[in-house]
Amino acid sequence: MSRTRTSAKLEQLIEEAEKDNRCIVGATPQDAARLRRAVSAGKLISPFPRLYVKESSWTNLNLRERSLYICKGLQRLHPNWVFAGLSAALVHGLPVTYSMLTPVCVATSYKAHERNQKGIIRITVEKDEPTTVNGLKVTSLERTVFDCLRILDFPHGLAVADSALRKAGKTRDWLVTQMEGMPRNCKGYSHALATALWADPRAESGGRVHCARSHAAVGL
C-alpha cells in the first residue's frame, strides 16, 4: 500500500474514532500495525493496550471522558464484553470516584475462567440481565449498584445508592430488596446491604452522608 493510501487510512481511523468519542482500534492486523507505527512516529499515543488516540485530543479530556473513551474502544475490540462494577457505574451515570476507574472492570461467569489482563479486572456475575447504555454493554443498574456498594466505603457507596434511586425512580425498599436478592457468598454482601438501608433518592447533600456515616459508626 502506498504511503498516501496508508496516511489516508490512518486519518479515516482517527476521524471515525473521534466521531464516536472513543479510542482508535485496529480491526485488522494491518490497521493494528499502522497504529503502532503512528505511535512510534509520534502521531498517536496509546493510553491503554491496543487502544490509541491523538495526544492533543487526550489532553483535553477529563478523567471521566478518558475512561469512557477506553471503554468504548474496548467494546469495539470485544463486542461481547459486559462492563461491570465501577466501570458500569460510570456508564450508568452514577457518581464514582474517577481515581478508582482503573483497572477497567468486566463481567465474567463461573464457567468462563478468564484471567485478568493488563488494565482489566474481571468479576463473576451470574443470573444478571445486561443492558446497553450509550452503546456500551453493562450489568443491570441493580447489579452495578451491588458491586459498587460492596467495595466502596460508606459515604461513596451511599452517594451511588442515592443516585441510582433517583435514576430508577425507585424507593429505598426496592433497593434493599434488590440487595437482599444478590448472591450472599459475594465478598462485601453485608456491607452493601447495610449501605442500601440508608439510601434516599431525595438526598443530594454531603451533609446527610456525613450524618449517616456518624450514625453508622456507632452501629448501622
Side-chain angles (χ1 to χ4, degrees), residues 22 25 37 54 71 103-104 112 122 128 131 163 174 177 191:
R22 61 170 172 81
V25 300
R37 289 195 296 270
K54 291 168 61 176
C71 287
V104 175
R122 301 178 188 275
D128 181 65
T131 186
S163 177
W174 172 83
T177 298
H191 178 64

Side-chain angles (χ1 to χ4, degrees), residues 24-109:
I24 309 161
V25 300
T28 67
Q30 293 80 9
D31 285 345
R34 187 175 291 113
L35 291 168
R36 290 193 296 270
R37 289 195 296 270
V39 171
S40 298
K43 295 180 179 180
L44 298 175
I45 61 173
S46 178
F48 198 91
R50 300 179 64 192
L51 300 182
Y52 307 88
V53 68
K54 291 168 61 176
E55 185 172 11
S56 57
S57 299
W58 191 250
T59 301
N60 291 327
L61 300 176
N62 60 36
L63 293 178
R64 174 183 177 278
E65 292 167 335
R66 289 181 179 185
S67 295
L68 287 173
Y69 257 58
I70 288 173
C71 287
K72 289 180 179 180
L74 288 172
Q75 190 82 91
R76 296 276 294 197
L77 284 174
H78 309 282
N80 293 325
W81 276 13
V82 176
F83 296 98
L86 292 171
S87 297
L90 172 72
V91 178
H92 276 293
L94 301 177
V96 293
T97 302
Y98 299 147
S99 61
M100 299 179 68
L101 290 174
T102 52
V104 175
C105 187
V106 177
T108 189
S109 67

Side-chain angles (χ1 to χ4, degrees), residues 92-137:
H92 276 293
L94 301 177
V96 293
T97 302
Y98 299 147
S99 61
M100 299 179 68
L101 290 174
T102 52
V104 175
C105 187
V106 177
T108 189
S109 67
Y110 286 111
K111 297 179 181 179
H113 300 300
E114 295 172 297
R115 294 182 178 181
N116 293 337
Q117 60 195 75
K118 186 176 181 181
I120 302 290
I121 186 171
R122 301 178 188 275
I123 63 172
T124 301
V125 177
E126 296 283 349
K127 298 179 180 180
D128 181 65
E129 189 65 37
T131 186
T132 300
V133 179
N134 295 327
L136 290 168
K137 295 179 181 178

Side-chain angles (χ1 to χ4, degrees), residues 141-216:
L141 179 64
E142 54 269 30
R143 176 67 203 215
T144 299
V145 172
F146 173 67
D147 287 326
C148 289
L149 297 195
R150 64 194 184 93
I151 65 170
L152 292 174
D153 61 25
F154 182 72
H156 288 101
L158 190 58
V160 167
D162 290 347
S163 177
L165 290 185
R166 289 193 293 273
K167 281 186 171 295
K170 300 291 187 178
T171 65
R172 176 192 303 157
D173 288 345
W174 172 83
L175 182 62
V176 171
T177 298
Q178 295 301 316
M179 297 303 101
E180 289 176 335
M182 293 296 168
R184 293 175 179 265
N185 61 337
C186 284
K187 184 178 181 180
Y189 172 90
S190 296
H191 178 64
L193 179 57
T195 303
L197 288 168
W198 286 89
D200 185 344
R202 301 165 300 176
E204 298 187 43
S205 71
R208 189 189 79 86
V209 172
H210 176 75
C211 179
R213 187 183 187 187
S214 297
H215 284 291

